[in-house]
Amino acid sequence: MALVLELEHLVKHYGNIHALKGVTLQIPAGTVYGILGPNGSGKTTMLGLIMNILQPTSGSIRLFGETPSASHRRKIGTLLETPNFYHYLSAVQNLRIAAAIKGIHQPDIDGVLQRVNLLARKDSPFSTYSLGMKQRLAIASCLLGDPQVMVFDEPTNGLDPVGIAEIRDLIKKLATEGKTIIMASHLLDEVEKVCTHVAILKKGELIASGHVDEILAHDDIVEVGAADPGRLLEVLRTMPGQTGVHAGEGDKATIHFAPGTADLATLNHHCFVHGVLLNHLQQKKKSLESKFIELTN
Ligand code: ADP
Ligand code: MG
């Protein structure tokens, strides 16, 4: 698959703050690539470097397989900070101005408003919009010129749950149109819902990257209990396919398996044939939050 973006040992220092410490990453075309990390991990810095708003301390960036130029960057729609729309002007008037600034001669303003579901309110003043509508107008502005690649920094920040859901649906819709979307987020749950791929940043370092399914896969965890917890642990350790056994509270223990491979009947049988009668057998889900904390702590 063609690569939209390549980062090679990208380093960014602000004075003695090392915001990015040598990040190497490849983003294939057609992906929704989440840059996931807690606040201060370097996400905005990474997007700023990609869009040439910041200069790297060292390392390099390639766009569409080439050394980046202004023409490459014009092919990318960006939403890095809340754009300045005129409060007293309508959506249509604001987008006309945005198109003129971008040098787009025959912008399909109704078309982009339709795509972000704002056509019905196109003549209302910007000041009457909800925060979610303002954010969708910002995405409409990105869509002027029909870029194949879009870069969003925390696109749902500050929105209410309905606004968040609308933006996430819109991003998914853009993805089905074949756009490549690179989006920073500090929300694991958002990346899991919206993105196909994820790169996890921790204090300026890339600690994992790849398919969301692989990187954010949860172990299957089964909680079991038996009268003799010591013997239970011994038997659990002999269970084929287990990836970890831990003592739990009281007479309980947990046993981990690779994602999707826990089989309660087989586990119960294994304990039974080794002389352990389970008085408790329950599949647990590891919370996403704990997975993220494990990855970033
Ligand atoms: P994120 O977007 O993941 O929250 P940032 O890229 O904004 O992270 O910040 C990464 C680190 O760089 C933080 O420690 C932040 O304080 C620092 N930083 C960001 N921008 C600047 C700047 N202009 N000057 C100095 N330090 C900065
Ligand atoms: Mg940021």
Side-chain angles (χ1 to χ4, degrees), residues 14 17 19 38-45:
Y14 300 101
I17 296 171
N39 288 331
S41 54
K43 304 180 296 295
T44 297
T45 298

Side-chain angles (χ1 to χ4, degrees), residues 91-272:
V92 171
Q93 290 166 323
N94 268 300
L95 289 184
R96 275 201 201 113
I97 292 169
I101 291 169
K102 292 180 201 205
I104 297 164
H105 296 301
Q106 288 184 315
D108 179 9
I109 287 177
D110 278 5
V112 298
L113 286 170
Q114 168 82 54
R115 285 164 76 191
V116 303
N117 202 20
L118 280 178
L119 201 53
R121 289 290 300 277
K122 69 175 186 169
D123 295 317
S124 309
F126 179 75
S127 59
T128 67
Y129 280 20
S130 70
L131 269 182
M133 292 167 75
K134 288 175 178 170
Q135 191 68 335
R136 281 185 282 138
L137 183 62
I139 293 178
S141 177
C142 289
L143 287 167
L144 293 166
D146 200 25
Q148 290 309 300
V149 180
M150 313 191 75
V151 174
F152 298 144
D153 194 3
E154 309 259 11
T156 62
N157 254 14
L159 302 184
D160 63 17
V162 173
I164 290 173
E166 284 168 348
I167 297 290
R168 289 178 183 172
D169 287 346
L170 176 56
I171 291 171
K172 286 193 246 179
K173 191 172 84 180
L174 294 171
T176 64
E177 293 170 12
K179 310 271 187 217
T180 305
I181 296 164
I182 302 168
M183 60 177 268
S185 177
H186 67 283
L187 303 170
L188 176 67
D189 157 67
E190 172 158 287
V191 167
E192 199 180 43
K193 284 192 176 123
V194 175
C195 299
T196 59
H197 290 67
V198 60
I200 299 180
L201 274 183
K202 175 190 173 184
K203 294 183 183 149
E205 280 177 290
L206 191 67
I207 58 171
S209 66
H211 267 278
V212 164
D213 294 347
E214 289 164 22
I215 304 295
L216 301 180
H218 329 284
D219 278 356
D220 284 353
I221 302 174
V222 182
E223 190 179 67
V224 291
D228 179 351
R231 174 73 189 138
L232 173 64
L233 286 172
E234 277 173 39
V235 170
L236 291 178
R237 288 196 187 98
T238 65
M239 174 73 195
Q242 60 90 355
T243 56
V245 171
H246 308 277
E249 269 173 38
D251 60 0
K252 296 203 172 57
T254 54
I255 178 166
H256 294 230
F257 297 90
T261 65
D263 178 346
L264 300 195
T266 308
L267 176 61
N268 197 6
H269 180 73
H270 177 82
C271 293
F272 178 76

Side-chain angles (χ1 to χ4, degrees), residues 26-46:
Q26 299 187 329
I27 298 195
T31 55
V32 181
Y33 219 112
I35 311 298
L36 177 65
N39 288 331
S41 54
K43 304 180 296 295
T44 297
T45 298
M46 184 195 279

